[in-house]
Amino acid sequence: VDGLPVYSSGDLAKHADESTGVWVSYKSGVYDITHFIKSHPGGNKILLGAGVSVEPFWNLYAIHKQPNTLALLEEYRIGNLTKGEEADAMINMSDPYANDPQRHPVLTIRTKKPFNAETPTSLLVENFITPTEFFYVRHHFPVPDVDLSSGDYSLEIISDDEKKGLSLNLDQLKTAYASHSVTASLQCSGNRRSEMNRTKPTKGLEWAQGAMGNAVWKGVRLRDVLLDLGIKDSDENEHWHVEFEGLDIDPTSAPYAVSIPLSKAMDPRGDVILAYEMNGETLTRDHGFPLRVVVPGTTGARWVKWLTRIEVARNESQSHWQQNDYKSFNPSSDWDKVDFSTAPAIQEMPVTSVVCDPQDGETVELKDGKLKLKGYAWSGGGRGVVRVDISLDSGKTWHVAELLDPVKLSRQWAWTRWQANLPVTAKETEVWVRAVDASYNTQPEGMEHIWNMRGVLAVGYHKIKVSLKA
Ligand code: MTE
Ligand code: MO
């Protein structure tokens, strides 16, 4: 045993599924149990311990603590755990996050429990469609684990006016309605909050510019489902709402819930779908398996994951997330005197743009005397980005960037990436970027003018500093 290789708990964590091999630890031993999984008497429950210590599970399932179980495990030993890490590798069985999925290590983690992580922008700008494993993740609670084969999952759809309801499992939903795909960008209301925090601290996750991504979503149109429920295209219900409820619950057992205007849901050109696929594959748990709402042009908070209930109602959702979060205020407001009921919930998002490459503070090499810049731009409400402007002299003169992805003026849900090659000579340059959308809306120059204590809608010019390599 002493001559075997030494592994860290980090090495262990990298072997948590069958594609990488499944490793576990027990006391100071590291074991590769990939080939044992099939013969485990407790079935695939053994995977709960994948990449971590099995000790807490063995404490729970005392049957394991027998000499022959230990002897069996020793047959799979491949090494020893780094001294002192035995405790680290332990996970607490009472930890509600213990069953969260594995994530790609390239994500920049903002909080672990709940898991919140963003895509490094240098990677984000590489693809028009953000690969699912690099897509930012924003959770408020542990990730629900839906087992479709158990038959427990269903979607309830009700209208408090029609006194009528539908209940569908995923197969029924897929067969009852035609499928529809949309390419749409998803952005958190708090994207770029860290830039706003430079003015004055706000309350929220310290997002840089990667709480945004672009994906192809496939599902059924919410409009079709609501028509089936008896909801009509009419002026009468024009200002009604559709509430969505997820399977994730807060400590008081209230589910994550929010609403959108019924007019958006019923708009045949609104492209609101109940999605079961992302980028051509079944939704992952982190992104809402088995079903999530996709509300193109609208802030991420409304794209409810692990969707289990839809209600059409005269009033907005009364949830915390609809009423007391995801709103913006006058820059002089503060937590002591703010009245959340005075501001509407954020729905469509304003125009924004970001320099992804180079990064703020980077030292760069010029190509033929030119600075190469790349980034993304997007606007909410289906308004396409019509222009991206760059200034290298604090707004005295402006250059027009080249748009890399096709843009329509309306019903444009996806971002466009842009690039520019600009001559520079100064050793230190501040780069400013701003976008203009199809309504000729543009961004405010300074974050200080749109500062709000929640740190949402941080859409000021993106300003970065770069130095030239000597
Ligand atoms: N849906 C549920 N059920 N629970 C949540 O915590 N977070 C919302 C939204 N939908 C959330 C949710 C927020 S604030 C955002 S920004 C997006 O999901 C993030 O989606 P993603 O994790 O797929 O990127
Ligand atoms: Mo969000």
Side-chain angles (χ1 to χ4, degrees), residues 159-164 236 240 312-314:
S159 157
D160 69 353
D161 191 58
E162 304 292 322
K163 304 275 172 279
K164 193 181 152 186
E236 204 187 314
W240 289 23
V312 177
R314 283 165 200 270

Side-chain angles (χ1 to χ4, degrees), residues 136-138 140 188 248 256 287 292 300 303 305-306 326:
Y136 87 95
V137 176
R138 202 281 181 249
H140 291 79
C188 185
D248 47 339
Y256 183 87
H287 298 291
R292 90 173 301 168
W303 298 40
K305 301 188 271 195
W306 317 292
Y326 302 109

Side-chain angles (χ1 to χ4, degrees), residues 362-420:
E362 212 175 297
T363 303
V364 295
E365 220 162 334
L366 299 184
K367 279 220 173 91
D368 304 324
K370 288 181 173 169
L371 174 64
K372 184 169 182 164
L373 302 161
K374 279 196 323 190
Y376 70 74
W378 181 79
S379 187
R383 293 176 288 274
V385 165
V386 297
R387 208 181 71 222
V388 171
D389 298 330
I390 314 282
S391 178
L392 304 179
D393 54 11
S394 302
K396 283 188 214 63
T397 58
W398 292 89
H399 307 265
V400 176
E402 178 193 354
L403 303 186
L404 297 177
D405 302 309
V407 185
K408 294 175 264 88
L409 294 183
S410 62
R411 208 176 171 183
Q412 172 67 38
W413 312 123
W415 64 13
T416 181
R417 293 165 307 148
W418 57 264
Q419 71 176 20

Side-chain angles (χ1 to χ4, degrees), residues 423-450:
V424 288
T425 45
K427 279 198 61 146
E428 307 262 311
T429 305
E430 186 164 281
V431 180
W432 288 11
V433 61
R434 66 151 187 237
V436 179
D437 75 14
S439 300
Y440 280 103
N441 292 310
T442 188
Q443 302 171 235
E445 188 234 306
M447 291 286 191
E448 61 273 27
H449 307 299
I450 49 170

Side-chain angles (χ1 to χ4, degrees), residues 150-171:
S150 74
D152 289 344
Y153 176 78
S154 69
L155 173 67
E156 312 299 320
I157 308 139
I158 63 158
S159 157
D160 69 353
D161 191 58
E162 304 292 322
K163 304 275 172 279
K164 193 181 152 186
L166 293 169
S167 174
L168 299 165
N169 66 28
L170 194 66
D171 281 337

Side-chain angles (χ1 to χ4, degrees), residues 272-294:
V272 178
I273 61 171
L274 310 179
Y276 43 79
E277 275 184 23
M278 176 180 183
N279 295 339
E281 283 173 23
T282 302
L283 269 184
T284 59
R285 280 180 65 206
D286 266 339
H287 298 291
F289 175 84
L291 198 66
R292 90 173 301 168
V293 193
V294 166

